[in-house]
Amino acid sequence: MEARDWRAQKRDATRRRLSDAAFALFDERGYEVVSVGDIAHAAGVSVPTFYAYFRTKEHVVLPEQDLGWIHDHFADQPTELDLTERIRRGLHAMVADLPPRTTDDLLRRWRLVLAVPALRLRAVDREHASSGVLAQALGIDLATSGGAADTVVVSACLTAATTAFLRWAATGGEDSIPALLDDAFVALRSI
């Protein structure tokens, strides 16, 4: 057990070193001109080691999501609420569970997403990955006509959430994420 903990700590430290090196280079040179080789060199690892931790450079900024963690926050929402409200509340629960250091990392990540078109495409990919998990957590069956309509609602809600995070980045983190999520959902409901 102790050896496994040591290995996990080493993996976490390497991932953090790669991430920190990448963001330092992005700040110094700009996202577009930094290569995977640059990141690996700055972190003191090989390029294959980089790829053991991240699929692409975009994944350093927007890494794979913990889909189980996402599922848990939405599966716990009261089923008597309408679908949009269940999703809004699930998003609030996720934001409330973020540790402070994660919030700082999140802001620097979303500021890059706001500035770099390729990263906005990566954000859309994450929305698509999340939509399937949300559909499952919320008991949506795509095979039914009601499930198909609910899937459209899930996608619209995730787009509203992405918009809230982009707006948060545009304010430099000054506005609260929950308030921006609420604004986005008010706009969504007004359609």
Side-chain angles (χ1 to χ4, degrees), residues 103 107 164 167-181 183:
T103 304
L107 180 58
R167 190 169 164 212
W168 178 61
T171 68
E174 292 297 317
D175 294 343
S176 82
I177 298 171
L180 293 170
L181 284 168
D183 287 350

Side-chain angles (χ1 to χ4, degrees), residues 124-148:
V124 170
D125 289 343
R126 285 169 49 111
E127 279 181 28
H128 290 299
S130 298
S131 66
V133 171
L134 262 60
Q136 181 186 32
L138 298 167
I140 296 170
D141 180 3
L142 184 58
T144 66
S145 60

Side-chain angles (χ1 to χ4, degrees), residues 65-75 126-140 154 158:
Q65 301 176 94
D66 181 344
L67 299 178
W69 185 76
I70 293 170
H71 179 279
D72 293 347
H73 285 86
F74 289 92
R126 285 169 49 111
E127 279 181 28
H128 290 299
S130 298
S131 66
V133 171
L134 262 60
Q136 181 186 32
L138 298 167
I140 296 170
V154 168
L158 289 174

Side-chain angles (χ1 to χ4, degrees), residues 109-191:
R109 292 172 191 282
W110 280 100
R111 289 178 106 170
L112 270 173
V113 172
L114 182 64
V116 180
L119 292 172
R120 284 196 296 281
L121 292 174
R122 171 78 182 115
V124 170
D125 289 343
R126 285 169 49 111
E127 279 181 28
H128 290 299
S130 298
S131 66
V133 171
L134 262 60
Q136 181 186 32
L138 298 167
I140 296 170
D141 180 3
L142 184 58
T144 66
S145 60
D150 287 346
T151 300
V152 170
V153 171
V154 168
S155 294
C157 289
L158 289 174
T159 298
T162 297
T163 301
F165 278 99
L166 289 169
R167 190 169 164 212
W168 178 61
T171 68
E174 292 297 317
D175 294 343
S176 82
I177 298 171
L180 293 170
L181 284 168
D182 289 346
D183 287 350
F185 275 74
V186 167
L188 182 63
R189 286 188 172 117
S190 70
I191 298 173

Side-chain angles (χ1 to χ4, degrees), residues 32-138:
E32 290 87 356
V33 299
V34 174
S35 71
V36 166
D38 295 334
I39 296 167
H41 178 75
V45 300
S46 67
V47 170
T49 298
F50 173 91
Y51 285 115
Y53 288 87
F54 299 102
R55 286 187 12 216
T56 65
K57 182 172 75 168
E58 289 84 7
H59 286 81
V60 174
V61 179
L62 291 172
E64 298 295 337
Q65 301 176 94
D66 181 344
L67 299 178
W69 185 76
I70 293 170
H71 179 279
D72 293 347
H73 285 86
F74 289 92
D76 290 344
Q77 299 308 312
T79 57
E80 64 273 5
L81 298 173
D82 71 51
L83 182 59
T84 303
E85 181 61 13
R86 290 169 65 195
I87 294 170
R88 188 192 70 78
R89 288 172 57 131
L91 289 165
H92 273 266
M94 287 173 59
V95 169
D97 277 354
L98 294 173
R101 174 153 173 127
T102 303
T103 304
D104 295 341
D105 286 348
L106 203 58
L107 180 58
R108 77 179 179 175
R109 292 172 191 282
W110 280 100
R111 289 178 106 170
L112 270 173
V113 172
L114 182 64
V116 180
L119 292 172
R120 284 196 296 281
L121 292 174
R122 171 78 182 115
V124 170
D125 289 343
R126 285 169 49 111
E127 279 181 28
H128 290 299
S130 298
S131 66
V133 171
L134 262 60
Q136 181 186 32
L138 298 167

